[in-house]
């Protein structure tokens, strides 16, 4: 399953399925939000992104609730993870994989988030994206992450880097 591309007027929901968003993070989220708004994409936030019930983030049920609600919302076309952290694997049993199958959409994040995107792909067949977290767009020294997000999610470009550049793994 390949999710639909983003277009102007669409909405991104930002969730925190790993570590909670702190007050220090908030300014970076708002900077990233302004970039997307300027492009014509709306941004909303999951209700539990500031929850810090466990001292490093929301409870597994709260984290999964935000993920499930984002996939269930008809007015949300993409989901970005606010940032990485640890213990995102604790939400696996609370993810509604059937809901995701019925409502495929872009989900993007990296670091600890990779376990969630890998699990979603494994259980649903949805193509997920290991890419920039929402906060990272504002904390990077360049616009690379933001430009890559637009290239992937708006233009549908799956190329990595300049055409003639060589990458060795």
């Amino acid at each position: 399953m390949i999710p639909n591309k983003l277009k102007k007027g669409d909405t991104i929901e930002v969730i925190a399925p790993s570590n909670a968003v702190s007050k220090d993070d908030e300014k970076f989220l708002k900077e990233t939000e302004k970039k997307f708004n300027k492009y014509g994409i709306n941004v909303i936030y999951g209700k539990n992104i500031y929850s810090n019930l466990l001292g490093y983030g929301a409870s597994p049920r709260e984290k999964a609730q935000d993920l499930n609600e984002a996939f269930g919302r008809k007015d949300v076309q993409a989901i970005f993870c606010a940032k990485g952290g640890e213990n995102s694997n604790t939400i696996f049993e609370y993810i509604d994989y059937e809901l995701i199958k019925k409502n495929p959409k872009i989900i993007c994040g990296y670091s600890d988030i990779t376990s969630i995107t890998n699990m979603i792909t494994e259980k649903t067949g949805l193509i997920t994206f290991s890419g920039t977290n929402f906060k990272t767009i504002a904390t990077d020294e360049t616009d690379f992450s933001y430009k890559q997000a637009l290239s992937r999610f708006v233009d549908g470009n799956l190329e990595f880097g300049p055409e003639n550049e060589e990458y060795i793994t």
Side-chain angles (χ1 to χ4, degrees), residues 94-128:
Y94 305 112
I95 296 174
D96 187 340
Y97 298 104
E98 290 304 312
L99 175 72
I100 294 171
K101 284 181 188 178
K102 293 175 186 167
N103 300 284
K105 51 189 75 174
I106 295 166
I107 180 167
C108 184
Y110 75 98
S111 188
D112 187 49
I113 304 305
T114 306
S115 65
I116 295 171
T117 55
N118 285 345
M119 184 62 83
I120 288 171
T121 298
E122 173 67 25
K123 298 280 189 181
T124 69
L126 176 65
I127 301 300
T128 60

Side-chain angles (χ1 to χ4, degrees), residues 2-146:
I2 300 173
N4 292 328
K5 293 186 288 186
L6 280 175
K7 58 189 179 315
K8 291 185 181 197
D10 280 351
T11 300
I12 293 169
E13 183 162 349
V14 180
I15 62 171
S18 195
N19 282 11
V21 171
S22 70
K23 290 295 177 192
D24 292 337
D25 297 325
E26 194 171 63
K27 71 178 182 177
F28 299 115
L29 297 183
K30 292 298 179 187
E31 284 178 38
T32 301
E33 180 180 347
K34 285 179 189 173
K35 287 183 178 205
F36 278 107
N37 288 166
K38 187 176 180 182
Y39 187 81
I41 295 174
N42 304 304
V43 176
I44 62 173
Y45 298 91
K47 66 182 174 187
N48 293 303
I49 66 169
Y50 293 104
S51 176
N52 200 5
L53 184 69
L54 303 176
Y56 57 82
S59 73
R61 286 183 195 271
E62 287 174 322
K63 293 175 185 183
Q65 179 184 30
D66 280 359
L67 177 72
N68 292 332
E69 286 180 3
F71 270 104
R73 290 182 68 146
K74 300 298 181 201
D75 61 335
V76 169
Q77 290 73 39
I79 302 161
F80 271 77
C81 297
K83 62 187 209 175
E86 54 270 332
N87 297 319
S88 66
N89 61 315
T90 62
I91 76 167
F92 292 169
E93 66 184 292
Y94 305 112
I95 296 174
D96 187 340
Y97 298 104
E98 290 304 312
L99 175 72
I100 294 171
K101 284 181 188 178
K102 293 175 186 167
N103 300 284
K105 51 189 75 174
I106 295 166
I107 180 167
C108 184
Y110 75 98
S111 188
D112 187 49
I113 304 305
T114 306
S115 65
I116 295 171
T117 55
N118 285 345
M119 184 62 83
I120 288 171
T121 298
E122 173 67 25
K123 298 280 189 181
T124 69
L126 176 65
I127 301 300
T128 60
F129 297 87
S130 184
T132 189
N133 287 320
F134 200 74
K135 176 185 168 187
T136 307
I137 290 173
T139 60
D140 277 351
E141 292 181 13
T142 69
D143 277 347
F144 182 80
S145 293
Y146 176 66

